[in-house]
Amino acid sequence: MGKLSTHVLDITKGKPGVGVNVALYAVEEGGKKLLKKAVTNNDGRCDEPLLQGEEVRTGRYELVFGAGDYFAAQGVEVPTPRFVDEVVIAFGIADPAQNYHVPLVVSPWAYSTYRGS
């Protein structure tokens, strides 16, 4: 069975984003369902997969990263309201047997993601 994982890279420092709040939601017909909350560790990763084994199901999901709060905690001066605050990455899992890695590369002014494995 597959798994879902993530990590955060702070490109203002060129280092892992440590202490970033992450929330995972399943997007369903009636709205969103919170599946898990985590905080990134010293490597910018969650301590365990967000989903694994039978938890991984075909469907639509959202990862929500507390990027604005992370940069504020780092002492980065940003305007009010923040340009990049909560970063929402909407994605789908088509094959639950595969590994899905959804990283966030972020600064106070931009962000990017890609599908890893």
Side-chain angles (χ1 to χ4, degrees):
M1 296 296 286
K3 68 180 178 181
L4 171 65
S5 58
T6 189
H7 78 270
V8 178
L9 177 62
D10 175 347
I11 58 173
T12 63
K13 295 181 178 181
K15 294 185 177 185
V18 178
V20 178
N21 290 314
V22 180
L24 172 66
Y25 295 88
V27 180
E28 303 171 341
E29 291 264 335
K32 296 181 203 176
K33 177 183 174 186
L34 178 64
L35 299 178
K36 186 174 254 187
K37 287 186 175 184
V39 178
T40 58
N41 61 24
N42 287 338
D43 195 31
R45 300 174 185 276
C46 299
D47 288 331
E48 58 188 38
L50 296 169
L51 297 174
Q52 60 186 341
E54 293 186 14
E55 297 174 322
V56 183
R57 294 188 174 97
T58 300
R60 294 175 42 222
Y61 296 86
E62 286 185 359
L63 278 169
V64 181
F65 297 86
D69 290 343
Y70 163 77
F71 286 113
Q74 300 300 308
V76 177
E77 287 189 42
V78 294
T80 302
R82 299 168 180 158
F83 183 72
V84 170
D85 195 12
E86 284 192 334
V87 174
V88 179
I89 299 174
F91 65 98
I93 292 180
D95 183 353
Q98 293 187 17
N99 292 335
Y100 288 79
H101 185 67
V102 184
L104 175 67
V105 180
V106 66
S107 81
W109 309 108
Y111 62 89
S112 181
T113 191
Y114 56 91
R115 167 147 184 225
S117 57

